[in-house]
C-alpha cells in the first residue's frame, strides 16, 4: 500500500471595516463613548475564488467614564461591546484548496535486505463509477483526489462570523501621591463560533447549530441547496455553543522616589463546551489541536458529551508582581513574579461500544479501557468495571506554577538614549508540569502506558541580553 497526502494553493482573507465614534460629556465629570463598527470578511481559496463572504456585521459599543470627585482621584468606568473575528486562513488549507489523500495497492514478489518490497505490480482500483477513484489509479476514502473544489460547497450558506460580547465595569482610586489601587469585573460570552462538520462530506458551519443548509452535488454534477437536521443525521442533537469568562481583577501600585511596585490579582473562571477556534484538550504532545476552526469539536454530537465544564486554559487564581528600583542615575534593577493555579486535567478514551460512524481514535469523555466492546452498535454490552464516564476536568488540576524573573539595566551618561539590559527568566529554574497525556487506552482492550505522562513544563531558566538605542 502506498499513501499520498498533499495540500496546495495559497489563501487570502480580505477585511473591510467602518467605524464611527462619538464622545459626549454628559456633565463635566461623566464622559459617554458611543461607537458602531461594521466588519466585512471575505475568504478566498488558492484560485482567488471566494468561498466565504460575511458582510455587514454590526458591532455596537458603549462605554462611560465617571470622574467622581472631579479631580481624577477616583474614576468609575464601564463598557459593553461586540467584537467580530475573521475566519482564519488556516481553514482554507484543507477546506477549500485541492487536497490529495489517496492509496495505491500493489502485489510484490519479494523483500529486499533493507525491508522494502521488490517486484511491485500496481493493482488499479477499477471501479470507474466510484467517487473514491482517483486519477492515479488509487482510491480515496474521503474523496480527496486533488480535484479543485467548488467554493460554494465549502461552507454553510449565510455563515455568521465568530464573535463574543463583553461587559466590563471597574474603578481606579488614588489615595496619595504614591499609592493607588483599582478593581475591574469582566464578563465575556461567546455568541457564535465556526468549526467543521461532516454529515455527508465536510463543511464549515456555525458550531452548535442543529439545522444548516449547504450546497451539495445532487449526483448529476449540479449543485443544490440541502438543509440538514443534525439531530436526524446523527441520531442526536448538538448542545448549544457555550464559552463564558468571568473575572475580577484587582491591583495596587506604589511609586515613591526611585522605587516602583505593582501587584495584580485575578480571580476568574472560564467555562463551557468549546474554547472557540482551537482545542487544547487534545494533547498530541504539541500543546493541543492547532487546526484553527477545524477541530474535532462539533464533528459528531458524541464528541461533545461530557465536555461542558472548566475549559482547558482556566486558571482560577493568578498573581503577578513587578518592582523596579533605580539606585543610581545609570543603574536600575527589577524583578517580577507570576504565580498561577493549575489548569483542569481530564481523562479520555474510546466510546463505550463500536458505534457505526464514530471516529475510533477520537477523544471521548470516558476514562479507562472499555474492554471487548467490539459488538457493533450494541450499547448493552457491559464495559470493564474501571471504565467510567469522565467529564472534562474530572481528574483535578495541574500543579500551581511560580516563576520569578530578575533584570538589570544600564543607561550610561556617556551616550544618551542607550540602554543595556540583562534579564534572567525563571530565576530559580523551577520546572513544573503544565500538561499531561490524557488518553487512557491505546486500544479498546489495552491500557495506554503513556496515560498521565508529563508532556509540557514551565520554561527552564534562560538569559536574555538586549541593547536598545532611542533617538
Amino acid at each position: 500500500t502506498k499513501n499520498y497526502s498533499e495540500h496546495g494553493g495559497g489563501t487570502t482573507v480580505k477585511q473591510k471595516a467602518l467605524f464611527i465614534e462619538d464622545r459626549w460629556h454628559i456633565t463635566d465629570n461623566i464622559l459617554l463613548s458611543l461607537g458602531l463598527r461594521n466588519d466585512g470578511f471575505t475568504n478566498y481559496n488558492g484560485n482567488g475564488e471566494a468561498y466565504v463572504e460575511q458582510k455587514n456585521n454590526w458591532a455596537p459599543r458603549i462605554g462611560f467614564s465617571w470622574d467622581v470627585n472631579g479631580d481624577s482621584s477616583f474614576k468609575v468606568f464601564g463598557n459593553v461591546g461586540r467584537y467580530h473575528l475573521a475566519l482564519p486562513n488556516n481553514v482554507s488549507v484543507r477546506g477549500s484548496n485541492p487536497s490529495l489523500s489517496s492509496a495505491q495497492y500493489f502485489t510484490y514478489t519479494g523483500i529486499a535486505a533493507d525491508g522494502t518490497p521488490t517486484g511491485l505490480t500496481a493493482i488499479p482500483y477499477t471501479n470507474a463509477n466510484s467517487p473514491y477513484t482517483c486519477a492515479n489509479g488509487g482510491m480515496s476514502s474521503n474523496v480527496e483526489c486533488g480535484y479543485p473544489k467548488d467554493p460554494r460547497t465549502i461552507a454553510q450558506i449565510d455563515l455568521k462570523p465568530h464573535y463574543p460580547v463583553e461587559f466590563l465595569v471597574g474603578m481606579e482610586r488614588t489615595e496619595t501621591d504614591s499609592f493607588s489601587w483599582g478593581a475591574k469585573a469582566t464578563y465575556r460570552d461567546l455568541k457564535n463560533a465556526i468549526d467543521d462538520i461532516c454529515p455527508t462530506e465536510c463543511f464549515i458551519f456555525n458550531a452548535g447549530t442543529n439545522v444548516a443548509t449547504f450546497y451539495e452535488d445532487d449526483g448529476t454534477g449540479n449543485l443544490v441547496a440541502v438543509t440538514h437536521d443534525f439531530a436526524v443525521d446523527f441520531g442526536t442533537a448538538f448542545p448549544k455553543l457555550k464559552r463564558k469568562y468571568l473575572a475580577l481583577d484587582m491591583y495596587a501600585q506604589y511609586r515613591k522616589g526611585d522605587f516602583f511596585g505593582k501587584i495584580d490579582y485575578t480571580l476568574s473562571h472560564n467555562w463551557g463546551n468549546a474554547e472557540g477556534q482551537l482545542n487544547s484538550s487534545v494533547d498530541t504532545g504539541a500543546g493541543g489541536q492547532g487546526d484553527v476552526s477545524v477541530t474535532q469539536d462539533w464533528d459528531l454530537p458524541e464528541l461533545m458529551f461530557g465536555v461542558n465544564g472548566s475549559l482547558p486554559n482556566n486558571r482560577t487564581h493568578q498573581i503577578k508582581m513587578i518592582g523596579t528600583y533605580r539606585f543610581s542615575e545609570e543603574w536600575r534593577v527589577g524583578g517580577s513574579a507570576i504565580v498561577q493555579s493549575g489548569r483542569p486535567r481530564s481523562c479520555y478514551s474510546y466510546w463505550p461500544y463500536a458505534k457505526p460512524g464514530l471516529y475510533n481514535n477520537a477523544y471521548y469523555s470516558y476514562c479507562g479501557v472499555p474492554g471487548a466492546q467490539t459488538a457493533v452498535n450494541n450499547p448493552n454490552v457491559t464495559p470493564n468495571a474501571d471504565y467510567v464516564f469522565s467529564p472534562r476536568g474530572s481528574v483535578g488540576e495541574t500543579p500551581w506554577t511560580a516563576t520569578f524573573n530578575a533584570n538589570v539595566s544600564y543607561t550610561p551618561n556617556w551616550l544618551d538614549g542607550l540602554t543595556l539590559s540583562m534579564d534572567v527568566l525563571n530565576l530559580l529554574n523551577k520546572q513544573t508540569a503544565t500538561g499531561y497525556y490524557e488518553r487512557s487506552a491505546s486500544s479498546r482492550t489495552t491500557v495506554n502506558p503513556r496515560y498521565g505522562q508529563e508532556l509540557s513544563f514551565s520554561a527552564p531558566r534562560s538569559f536574555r541580553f538586549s541593547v536598545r538605542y532611542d533617538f
Side-chain angles (χ1 to χ4, degrees), residues 199 210 229-238 300-302 305 353 355-356 358 377:
N210 274 297
D229 184 334
F230 299 133
V232 175
D233 289 350
F234 296 118
T236 185
F238 283 104
L300 301 167
E302 288 83 354
F305 290 3
Y353 55 94
K355 186 176 181 180
L358 292 193
N377 205 19

Side-chain angles (χ1 to χ4, degrees), residues 54-358:
Q54 300 168 324
K55 299 179 179 179
N56 294 323
N57 301 298
W58 294 97
R61 298 163 193 181
I62 182 171
F64 76 93
S65 178
W66 176 26
D67 184 359
V68 179
N69 298 325
D71 60 0
S72 300
S73 63
F74 183 23
K75 183 175 74 173
V76 177
F77 56 91
N79 186 75
V80 179
R82 174 189 288 189
Y83 306 90
H84 294 105
L85 293 177
L87 184 66
N89 265 345
N90 182 77
V91 174
S92 187
V93 174
R94 283 182 58 83
S96 68
N97 282 328
S99 298
L100 174 62
S101 178
S102 66
Q104 280 185 282
Y105 298 93
F106 301 81
T107 60
Y108 63 98
T109 58
I111 299 177
D114 62 359
T116 58
T118 59
L120 292 176
T121 302
I123 306 174
Y125 187 72
T126 56
N127 187 355
N129 296 320
S130 170
Y132 305 115
T133 304
C134 296
N136 65 356
M139 58 85 66
S140 172
S141 59
N142 57 0
V143 204
E144 293 190 19
C145 294
Y147 308 143
K149 302 175 183 178
D150 191 307
R152 293 173 294 173
T153 66
I154 306 304
Q156 172 185 337
I157 298 174
D158 296 328
L159 184 74
K160 300 297 186 294
H162 176 114
Y163 76 90
V165 174
E166 180 183 83
F167 302 85
L168 181 153
V169 63
M171 55 82 65
E172 295 178 350
R173 185 177 176 89
T174 300
E175 300 294 348
T176 69
D177 291 342
S178 300
F179 178 70
S180 62
W181 64 281
K184 179 180 68 175
T186 304
Y187 174 71
R188 298 191 191 106
D189 187 2
L190 182 62
K191 295 296 187 181
N192 204 43
I194 296 173
D195 215 294
D196 67 330
I197 191 171
C198 304
T200 51
E201 54 185 285
C202 291
F203 303 95
I204 302 298
F205 87 126
N206 288 131
T209 299
N210 274 297
V211 177
T213 302
F214 308 95
Y215 281 116
E216 299 183 44
D217 193 319
D218 64 359
T220 66
N222 295 317
L223 291 181
V224 295
V226 178
T227 299
H228 286 268
D229 184 334
F230 299 133
V232 175
D233 289 350
F234 296 118
T236 185
F238 283 104
K240 290 184 178 179
L241 169 73
K242 183 167 76 172
R243 189 197 73 187
K244 300 178 186 293
Y245 175 77
L246 182 63
L248 175 63
D249 294 280
M250 295 176 285
Y251 82 90
Q253 68 178 33
Y254 181 83
R255 183 192 299 273
K256 188 172 184 179
D258 295 319
F259 174 78
F260 171 78
K262 184 177 181 181
I263 181 170
D264 291 274
Y265 170 69
T266 300
L267 174 67
S268 65
H269 190 203
N270 186 21
W271 76 99
N273 56 18
E275 292 176 77
Q277 295 182 330
L278 298 174
N279 181 352
S280 56
S281 297
V282 181
D283 279 312
T284 61
Q289 190 173 16
D291 300 322
V292 184
S293 290
V294 284
T295 69
Q296 76 162 31
D297 292 346
W298 311 105
D299 285 4
L300 301 167
E302 288 83 354
L303 291 167
M304 303 306 296
F305 290 3
V307 300
N308 184 46
S310 295
L311 290 169
N313 288 315
N314 178 71
R315 293 185 184 272
T316 305
H317 306 281
Q318 297 186 69
I319 303 169
K320 300 178 182 179
M321 294 173 281
I322 184 172
T324 62
Y325 179 70
R326 181 180 291 276
F327 60 86
S328 76
E329 191 175 316
E330 295 181 302
W331 289 92
R332 184 180 71 247
V333 295
S336 64
I338 302 175
V339 181
Q340 300 174 309
S341 59
R343 301 168 60 225
R345 290 185 60 182
S346 301
C347 180
Y348 299 99
S349 186
Y350 288 78
W351 189 253
Y353 55 94
K355 186 176 181 180
L358 292 193

